Amino acid sequence: MAAPKFWRNKRILFALESTYGVDPGPTGASNAVLAMDVTLKPMEGQDQERDLEQPGMSANGTIPTDLHSAISFTVDLSASGVAGTAPAWGALLRACGVAEVISAGTSVTYTPISESFESGTFHLVIDKTRYVLLGARGTAEFDLSAQATPKIKFDFTGLFAIPTEVSAPAVTLTSWKEPKIVSAQNTPTFTIDAIPFVMSSAKLALGNKVEPRFLVGSDRVLITDKSESFETTVEAQALTAFDPFTMARDMEQIPVELVHGTVAGSIATLSLATAQMQRPSISQSQNIKEWPLRLIPRAATENDQWSLTLT
C-alpha cells in the first residue's frame, strides 16, 4: 500500500520571470515562501460538452478547455529588518501589478502601476509531487487588525502544467522575519484626515481583475483592471471633530496613514493620499460605539492612490 501524502509537508517557491511564461527555476535557497492558509486549485477551466448524436443513451464525454491553475495563501507583513533591503514577499507583490523602488540603506517603497506588469512562476511541492504555475499574476490584500499579526493575503492565477514527481527541495526561510502584532505599542500612528483614531481593523484590497486569456498564438494571464478599496473600523468621535457623514455626502477625498513598527528596518507606512469617504455605518463592540468606514483610494495623478513604504 502506498504511503499517504501529507498536505502540510509542502514547499512553496516563487521567482519573477524574465520572459513571460518561461520558468526561471526558483530555488529553495533564495525563493522559498513562508505561507499560511494555502489553497491550491491545480486544474481549473471548462469542460466542453460534445453533444454527439449517437445510438443509445449514454454520456458523450467532454473536452477540457481554458486550463489554468490558482493558488492563494497568506504571509506575514514584516519588513526585512534592514532599511533599504526588500522584504521576502517583495517579489510576490511585484507580480500583483506593483512597482518596487529601493533606496539603498534608506527605504523600499511599493506603489501601483498600470502597465508593464511583471509575472512569476510558482513551484508547489507537496511531499514529492510538484505543481507548477507559469506566468502567474495576482491580487493582494493588506490586513492590519488590532491584536493580530499584520498579513498580506495573495490570490494568484497561472498557466497550467502537468504535475510531476521530483525530489523535495531543501528550503531556506531566514529572510522571513517574525511579525509584531498590531497594537498601541507597535502601531504608533493611525490617522484619517490627520486626526488620530482608535482603530480595531484596517484592510486595503488591491482589487486587481486577473483573467486568463487563451487565444490562438497566445496563452496569458492578464491584469485587466484595478479597483482598490480600504475598510477600517474605528471608535466613533464627536461629529464636531470628525464628520464622516458630511464627508461621504460631499465626496471628500482625505488622507489616511497607518504606521506599524517602531524599530528602524522594521517600520511599514501605509499611505492613502486622497481617499474618498463612502457612506459610513454604525456598530458597537464592548458597548463602545464604532464606525465601520469605507474609503476608495483615488489617484490624484497616475498611480499615486496608495503607497507602502518600509524604512
Side-chain angles (χ1 to χ4, degrees), residues 74-145:
T74 300
V75 304
D76 291 317
L77 198 170
S78 298
S80 68
V82 179
T85 298
W89 41 264
L92 293 164
L93 199 56
R94 287 168 60 181
C96 294
V98 175
E100 176 186 80
V101 176
I102 297 175
S103 178
T106 303
S107 65
V108 183
T109 301
Y110 295 94
T111 54
I113 55 177
S114 18
E115 60 183 4
S116 302
F117 298 125
E118 295 184 271
S119 62
T121 291
F122 282 96
H123 288 189
L124 172 58
V125 182
I126 304 175
D127 197 282
K128 294 183 179 180
T129 303
R130 182 175 66 189
Y131 300 87
V132 175
L133 286 74
L134 301 169
R137 292 184 171 121
T139 190
E141 179 183 81
F142 305 124
D143 184 348
L144 296 101
S145 297

Side-chain angles (χ1 to χ4, degrees), residues 195-279:
I195 297 174
F197 275 89
V198 175
M199 178 267 288
S200 63
S201 67
K203 295 181 180 181
L204 173 65
L206 300 192
N208 295 347
K209 188 174 183 180
V210 183
E211 298 183 293
R213 183 171 171 83
F214 300 144
L215 303 173
V216 174
S218 176
D219 286 346
R220 293 168 292 172
V221 172
L222 302 175
I223 297 174
T224 60
D225 203 357
K226 294 186 177 186
S227 182
E228 294 97 343
S229 61
F230 181 78
E231 296 182 355
T232 184
T233 298
V234 298
E235 289 188 2
Q237 299 191 17
L239 296 178
T240 51
F242 186 89
D243 185 351
F245 303 94
T246 300
M247 289 178 174
R249 183 198 64 187
D250 296 343
M251 299 179 293
E252 288 191 32
Q253 296 181 23
I254 55 179
V256 178
E257 182 173 80
L258 190 160
V259 179
H260 177 70
T262 58
V263 178
S266 301
I267 300 172
T269 300
L270 180 64
S271 296
L272 315 178
T274 48
Q276 180 185 335
M277 180 67 71
Q278 293 191 297
R279 293 176 292 108

Side-chain angles (χ1 to χ4, degrees), residues 175-193:
S175 61
W176 294 86
K177 304 304 179 182
E178 291 291 330
K180 298 287 187 180
I181 65 167
V182 178
S183 67
Q185 292 74 33
N186 298 326
T187 314
T189 302
F190 181 71
T191 61
I192 305 175
D193 201 20

